[in-house]
Amino acid sequence: MTTTNMQLPPLSLYVHIPWCVQKCPYCDFNSHAQPEIIPEAQYIACLLDDLAADLRYVQGRKLTSIFIGGGTPSLFSAAGIQGLLQGIEALIPFNPNIEITLEANPGTFETERFAGFADAGVTRLSIGVQSLQQQQLQRLGRIHNSEQAQIAAQHASTLALTSFNLDLMHGLPEQTLATAMADLEGIIALNPPHISWYQLTIEPNTMFASKPPVLPNDDVLWDIYEQGHIRLAAAGYEQYEVSAYGKPRHRGQHNLNYWRFGDYLGIGCGAHGKITLPDQQQIIRTEKVKHPRGYLDLTRNFVFKQWQVEPDERVFEYFMNRLRLLEPVPKSEFSAFTGLPLDKADKALADSIRKGFIENTAEHWQTTATGRLYLNQVLSDLLTEDN
């Protein structure tokens, strides 16, 4: 297949901390019940060794963002997070305006650590509220209550952070339009700079998959989405991605780099990475050892597997990420970040353009209002297209 000269995109870092107090029934992330004593220092040392082994992929770049996810990273101490960030910066320079996000739960124990995380260098907290209704929190297996969620958000607003995010689910078991909107109103009232508002989905290998709850029907789900979107816009939140809404200048930079097909290193249990190698005209993906016991075994390699993204796969991978964003997709960027000629994209998008799902100009592609509603169909068409 013909390729073009590839360019290095921006570089981010994902750090996975795998432990949770307990596993939520909807969660399919690589998380594990915390041991009696979390091996924090040992795990941080392994994270830094893991990163050191990946330094060949940096290729002269600075880190534009770091996301510390899990699991529940806020189970770690502020001193541990500070040592981790200092160790990372000693290995890879930080961009002057780097965004450093840490996922946190709203429980009292974690909330008390928020100020310490900010002092440690975290610039953004992402707080997993999920609902403000006690019955729904219990159904979702969350260990905080509504009052703790509100206190956590209010406390985050007082800290020296550049931003913070509140996660909120909709389409919850037996949820109605009225209860979904009450949840959303409660989150808006807390005035976070950013809201991740996303629909609950039943994922394989979860407790909900084995014992599915009764979820709202499609008509109710549509009403929730439609009314919620209107309400968020009226409150000053701009939708810039399928489930991401931000106040002006508060878009999540780390996830934006994912969706714009940027590069990212992944360290920690089960962490994934995506790296461009322009000299070899390659894109590679990495996955680290999943279980903490194996990851902490110093006799083993941190890499579980590594593979190339073949040219025939890059069209789908690029648009699977890029079309989640509502912004135009520059055509010049496609060839620069995939190494493929433009006609590969034109051919792959032809059906979606014909159906009115994708706007096609000389400079860019962009999902239309209809296309955003049928994004799964757009991606399905990409998969079935003979690239």
Side-chain angles (χ1 to χ4, degrees), residues 66 68 73-74 81 100-104 117 122 124-127:
I66 299 172
I68 306 173
S74 52
I81 296 298
I100 302 176
T101 301
L102 182 136
E103 285 188 333
F117 294 141
V122 171
R124 182 177 182 269
L125 289 173
S126 183
I127 304 171

Side-chain angles (χ1 to χ4, degrees), residues 255-272:
N255 283 346
L256 274 175
N257 191 46
Y258 285 162
W259 297 321
R260 289 171 175 163
F261 212 56
D263 278 358
Y264 50 94
L265 299 170
I267 59 173
C269 295
H272 287 248

Side-chain angles (χ1 to χ4, degrees), residues 17 29 50 52 54 61 83 132 161 168 188 208 221 228 252 280 285 291 293 297 323 330 338 346 353 368 386:
I17 295 178
F29 295 134
D50 188 357
D54 280 352
R61 291 172 288 185
L132 291 173
L161 298 166
L168 179 69
I188 290 172
F208 274 178
L221 290 173
Q280 301 171 44
R285 291 196 176 272
H291 198 281
R293 186 168 56 250
D297 181 355
L323 293 180
T338 66
D346 288 331
I353 292 169
T368 62
D386 181 12

Side-chain angles (χ1 to χ4, degrees), residues 24-42:
C24 295
Y26 60 86
C27 178
D28 68 336
F29 295 134
N30 184 34
S31 59
H32 304 264
Q34 68 180 80
E36 184 176 349
I37 298 176
I38 294 177
E40 179 178 304
Q42 182 186 6

Side-chain angles (χ1 to χ4, degrees), residues 79-102:
I81 296 298
Q82 182 176 39
L84 171 64
L85 293 176
Q86 289 173 343
I88 292 170
E89 189 172 17
L91 292 169
I92 308 176
F94 288 1
N95 188 293
N97 60 345
I98 188 171
E99 175 193 87
I100 302 176
T101 301
L102 182 136

